[in-house]
């Protein structure tokens, strides 16, 4: 029994952050029990997760492809960490994968023509890392690539700002944090940064922003959430922790969960986090982690929970290979699910 095994491990560990056994050790056992449960039933892993979570109807997720890297993932001047494309207009996961690949290659051509061959190098997450000076410029590049690919209206934009990376002790945000010292011209108050996000949402086809503020800047989260009609995703804010999720629901701080199994440590807690978020009317985006292994569990998790969204690295070759083997396995596994459903 998944819940029983997970509960016993948490009881024996006895610490709030799993520091006695270690979250990775607990996670390994939890994942193994989940796979064993599916094997004992003789059903696919995603079907077992569907039964564990009580999910009634399965849906294929919309992939979020990270195509431009900034922040701590790249050596350029971009403060904001990830610029993503979401093929919301695709009729299938396979078509979404193709659309993402096409836009990625067109984006490469645009970057090469504008910034030179060296700008086609990639960051830690597999997206391009051109020496773009302004975050708005990164969004313009995406719009141009989407338009040239012929997918205007069918592909939307998402961002992972990772604002805690440039949060200052005085409560302001330094968008030029990679250049220290600097003249302070790119330092924003929480209010002015909120207004910047509103401009982005107005001027670009943005449907999702992740971690727009520091994880403890609750009031700024709530202010932005009440004033925009897009998905605000909590990663650093929530850390897939049911207690943080409950607090965010109470404070109306966001409306989306980034679900990372190895952030919380057990399948039972991950399922609870997803169900609590859905009950609040939130979106759920199952996500990989930086430095991902070749384990493909999150493909089954995303489908079994009917999360509707999965975040991973970008498709690299038009021949459907991808930049990282783990994401290749995850993507093709979801396509396999689709063929059987």
């Amino acid at each position: 029994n998944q819940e029983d095994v997970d509960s016993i491990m948490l009881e024996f560990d006895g610490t709030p952050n799993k520091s006695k056994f270690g979250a990775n050790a607990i996670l390994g056992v939890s994942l193994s029990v989940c796979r064993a449960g599916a094997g004992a039933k003789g059903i696919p892993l995603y079907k077992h997760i569907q039964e564990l979570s009580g999910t009634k109807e399965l849906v294929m997720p919309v992939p979020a492809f990270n195509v431009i890297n900034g922040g701590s993932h790249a050596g350029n001047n971009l403060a904001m960490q990830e610029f993503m494309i979401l093929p919301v207009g695709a009729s299938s996961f396979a078509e979404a994968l193709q659309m993402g690949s096409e836009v990625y290659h067109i984006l490469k051509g645009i970057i090469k023509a504008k910034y030179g061959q060296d700008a086609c190098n990639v960051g830690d997450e597999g997206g391009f890392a051109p020496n773009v000076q302004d975050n708005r410029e990164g969004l313009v590049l995406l719009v141009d690539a989407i338009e040239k690919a012929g997918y205007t209206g069918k592909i939307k934009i998402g961002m992972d700002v990772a604002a805690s990376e440039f949060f200052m002790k005085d409560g302001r945000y330094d968008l030029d944090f990679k250049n220290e010292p600097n003249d302070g011209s790119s330092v924003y108050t929480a209010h002015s940064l909120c207004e910047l996000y509103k401009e982005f949402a107005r001027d670009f086809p943005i449907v999702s922003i992740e971690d727009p503020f520091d994880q403890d800047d609750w009031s700024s989260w709530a202010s932005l959430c009440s004033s925009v009609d897009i998905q605000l995703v909590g990663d650093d804010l929530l850390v897939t922790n049911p207690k943080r999720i409950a607090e965010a629901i109470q404070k109306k701080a966001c409306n989306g969960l980034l679900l990372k199994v190895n952030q919380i440590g057990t399948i039972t807690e991950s399922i609870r986090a997803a169900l609590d978020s859905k009950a609040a009317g939130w979106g759920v985006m199952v996500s990989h982690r930086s430095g991902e292994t070749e384990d493909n569990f999150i493909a089954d998790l995303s489908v079994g929970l009917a999360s509707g969204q999965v975040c991973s690295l970008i498709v690299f070759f038009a021949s459907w290979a991808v930049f990282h083997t783990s994401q290749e396995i995850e993507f093709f596994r979801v396509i396999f699910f689709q063929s059987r459903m």
Side-chain angles (χ1 to χ4, degrees):
N1 183 287
Q2 184 74 49
E3 187 172 355
D4 288 347
V5 173
D6 287 345
S7 296
I8 289 171
M9 287 193 292
L10 296 180
E11 181 182 350
F12 284 179
D13 177 83
T15 65
N17 61 355
K18 303 176 177 66
S19 60
K20 183 177 180 180
F21 289 167
N24 281 328
I26 291 174
L27 175 65
V29 174
S30 188
L31 291 175
S32 298
V33 169
C34 194
R35 291 186 187 277
K41 292 178 180 178
I43 61 176
L45 180 57
Y46 73 88
K47 291 289 291 183
H48 179 53
I49 293 171
Q50 179 186 16
E51 293 179 3
L52 289 176
S53 61
T55 300
K56 294 181 180 180
E57 184 178 353
L58 298 180
V59 296
M60 288 294 102
V62 173
F65 300 122
N66 179 4
V67 294
I68 294 180
N69 292 176
S72 296
H73 289 171
N76 55 19
N77 285 328
L78 276 179
M80 299 181 183
Q81 187 166 274
E82 297 178 2
F83 295 74
M84 297 174 278
I85 53 174
L86 293 83
V88 298
S91 61
S92 67
F93 190 87
E95 183 184 15
L97 194 58
Q98 178 180 343
M99 291 165 69
S101 179
E102 290 174 5
V103 171
Y104 184 77
H105 283 274
I106 289 173
L107 177 63
K108 179 180 180 180
I110 293 173
I111 290 174
K112 180 179 179 181
K114 190 169 185 178
Y115 305 102
Q117 179 65 48
D118 290 348
C120 295
N121 293 330
V122 297
D124 293 349
E125 296 283 320
F128 296 114
N131 196 22
V132 175
Q133 302 300 313
D134 179 72
N135 296 284
R136 175 178 286 269
E137 190 175 351
L139 294 169
V140 170
L141 288 172
L142 292 192
V143 170
D144 288 347
I146 292 169
E147 181 179 351
K148 287 187 177 181
Y151 292 128
T152 299
K154 291 186 176 182
I155 293 182
K156 303 296 184 180
I157 294 174
M159 301 175 69
D160 175 8
V161 177
S164 294
E165 293 284 344
F166 50 86
F167 182 68
M168 303 169 69
K169 293 181 179 179
D170 63 4
R172 296 181 299 166
Y173 295 85
D174 184 5
L175 296 186
D176 194 25
F177 77 103
K178 293 185 179 181
N179 297 305
E180 295 283 355
N182 59 61
D183 60 8
S185 61
S186 296
V187 173
Y188 285 69
T189 64
H191 174 73
S192 60
L193 186 59
C194 183
E195 293 301 311
L196 179 64
Y197 295 136
K198 291 180 187 179
E199 288 180 17
F200 286 170
R202 181 193 66 218
D203 297 341
F204 301 96
I206 293 175
V207 295
S208 181
I209 299 179
E210 179 184 331
D211 285 342
F213 299 102
D214 181 70
Q215 63 253 31
D216 293 316
D217 192 357
W218 290 98
S219 60
S220 297
W221 276 88
S223 176
L224 181 60
C225 193
S226 65
S227 58
V228 293
D229 188 25
I230 61 174
Q231 179 175 256
L232 293 186
V233 180
D235 177 13
D236 296 342
L237 178 75
L238 304 174
V239 291
T240 318
N241 189 313
K243 292 181 179 179
R244 295 280 292 187
I245 291 169
E247 184 174 1
I249 291 171
Q250 187 270 323
K251 293 180 176 179
K252 298 180 179 180
C254 62
N255 54 21
L257 164 70
L258 196 76
L259 176 58
K260 294 177 175 177
V261 182
N262 64 345
Q263 242 177 3
I264 189 61
T266 67
I267 300 305
T268 299
E269 290 169 294
S270 298
I271 290 175
R272 178 186 166 193
L275 295 181
D276 288 350
S277 299
K278 285 186 174 184
W282 289 10
V284 176
M285 178 181 285
V286 175
S287 177
H288 76 114
R289 298 297 299 272
S290 298
E292 185 86 2
T293 69
E294 290 190 12
D295 185 84
N296 54 28
F297 187 91
I298 69 167
D300 290 80
L301 184 66
S302 179
V303 174
L305 291 175
S307 68
Q309 302 173 78
V310 61
C311 179
S312 200
L313 305 187
I314 180 59
V315 181
F316 194 62
F317 298 111
S319 59
W320 296 58
V322 292
F323 187 68
H324 291 265
T325 306
S326 59
Q327 278 65 48
E328 177 182 356
I329 295 170
E330 288 159 4
F331 286 143
F332 279 103
R333 189 162 176 80
V334 174
I335 293 175
F336 172 70
F337 298 156
Q338 182 176 278
S339 70
R340 299 186 63 179
M341 290 171 58

